[in-house]
Amino acid sequence: RRPAGAPLAPMAAAASTHLLRAAPSAVSAARAAKLACCHARSLSTAAADVGAWRPRRSVLYVPGSNTRALAKAASLPCDSIILDLEDAVAPSAKSVARKQVADTLQNVDFGDKEVVVRVNAVSTRWGWEDVDAVAALGAAAIVLPVVESPDEVAQLEGIMRVCGAPPSTSIWAMIETPRGVLAAHDIAQHTRVSCLVAGTTDLAHELGAAHVPGRQPLLASLSLIVLGARAAQVAVLDGVHLDLGDDAGFEAACVQARDMGFDGKTLIHPKTIAVANQTFAPSAAAVEEAREVLAAFEAAEREGKGVAVVRGRLAE
């Protein structure tokens, strides 16, 4: 979140520079300006510096029980990694996965890549142990599944404090039920939450909705999740695309999510990273125009004007 009273232009300019290095795509300058000013989100409520901001175009789930996938994760070109202790891990493998994820956090150099951990719900028999095992190991965030109220976030925050989590470790809240959708804004307003994640597979099941091309049955729920995140000024990620053989459908879902306002997409296979990176990134030309908008606003402010003209169009 941008600190109250902090100037937007320098922050946005830095975000633009970061985004310019992203994979290009045919995205409008208006989208680039939005990304430059709003897309980057703070990784923690304690970190207000520009260095803590980042794009999250591609966010890959990596099963904590899969040693080969864990070893490969650091070399993948995705923006973020979710080390998964929940759905991707069978009950019989939970303890082994927990140890492997802890070892990965301690021993693998992920460079600038954002690394978060999805734990089991604290109401399960694994949740507390998951948080205790990883809270103090420097993950950027703990991902909490099936969140339906701010009270559940507060409960996790309390456990994280007991387990030694630093202030820089935020919470990502997964919205996977009708109750969660209707409470999305309240959940996103919790001071430790930095991101909402749409859990579209479970959400479709809870709604009794069909999985169809275009995702029409889910659009109202997805819009509410985006609305809640944007009102609270946190990041928001779209759910996974389950059919790995449907390349065209996956790309269409990425375009749809981008146009709806999502910052990026959660992924279940490395082969989908490139399309997500391309779809959710602005082109170099669009970022350049966004920089022109920022420069024009700075000039207008110096002249005491409330609007600026960029390439013959009014911007305000």
Side-chain angles (χ1 to χ4, degrees), residues 34-281:
K34 172 195 168 185
L35 285 166
C37 298
C38 304
H39 172 72
R41 302 294 178 220
S42 175
L43 296 183
S44 83
T45 56
D49 62 303
V50 173
W53 293 15
R54 63 172 64 246
R56 297 186 179 96
R57 303 163 299 168
S58 52
V59 181
L60 181 69
Y61 285 103
V62 177
S65 55
N66 189 328
T67 54
R68 186 176 177 183
L70 289 170
K72 184 180 179 182
S75 65
L76 296 173
C78 52
D79 290 331
S80 306
I81 290 285
I82 299 177
L83 303 177
D84 195 7
L85 296 174
E86 199 221 7
D87 280 353
V89 179
S92 60
K94 295 288 188 186
S95 60
V96 171
R98 188 182 302 122
K99 182 181 184 305
Q100 290 183 169
V101 166
D103 289 344
T104 298
L105 287 170
Q106 291 176 298
N107 299 314
V108 175
D109 181 7
F110 285 92
D112 292 333
K113 198 183 307 296
E114 181 180 41
V115 182
V116 305
V117 180
R118 179 163 72 166
V119 299
N120 289 275
V122 294
S123 59
T124 68
R125 66 181 191 228
W126 307 290
W128 270 79
E129 291 183 70
D130 290 348
V131 179
D132 186 45
V134 303
L137 300 183
I142 301 293
V143 185
L144 182 63
V146 201
V147 181
E148 295 187 323
S149 76
D151 291 342
E152 295 169 63
V153 176
Q155 181 185 24
L156 174 60
E157 182 184 37
I159 297 171
M160 289 168 62
R161 287 177 177 171
V162 170
C163 296
S168 59
T169 301
S170 66
I171 294 173
W172 291 12
M174 293 199 67
I175 309 299
E176 307 182 70
T177 67
R179 287 182 182 272
V181 170
L182 294 175
H185 179 230
D186 291 338
I187 292 166
Q189 281 190 304
H190 190 284
T191 56
R192 195 106 185 207
V193 171
S194 64
C195 183
L196 296 185
V197 183
T200 47
T201 303
D202 285 348
L203 180 57
H205 173 75
E206 292 289 330
L207 290 170
H211 289 280
V212 296
R215 302 194 293 180
Q216 193 276 335
L218 293 180
L219 294 184
S221 297
L222 293 175
S223 291
L224 286 171
I225 295 170
V226 173
L227 191 65
R230 292 295 176 240
Q233 298 183 23
V234 302
V236 60
L237 300 172
D238 189 20
V240 300
H241 187 80
L242 295 177
D243 188 351
L244 292 176
D246 181 20
D247 293 342
F250 172 73
E251 184 172 359
C254 286
V255 170
Q256 180 191 60
R258 179 199 70 200
D259 291 348
M260 291 183 73
F262 284 97
D263 294 302
K265 194 162 180 68
T266 50
L267 312 173
I268 57 174
H269 196 281
K271 79 171 191 173
T272 59
I273 294 171
V275 170
N277 281 347
Q278 183 178 43
T279 303
F280 286 97

Side-chain angles (χ1 to χ4, degrees), residues 6-17:
L8 178 59
M11 292 182 171
S16 297
T17 301

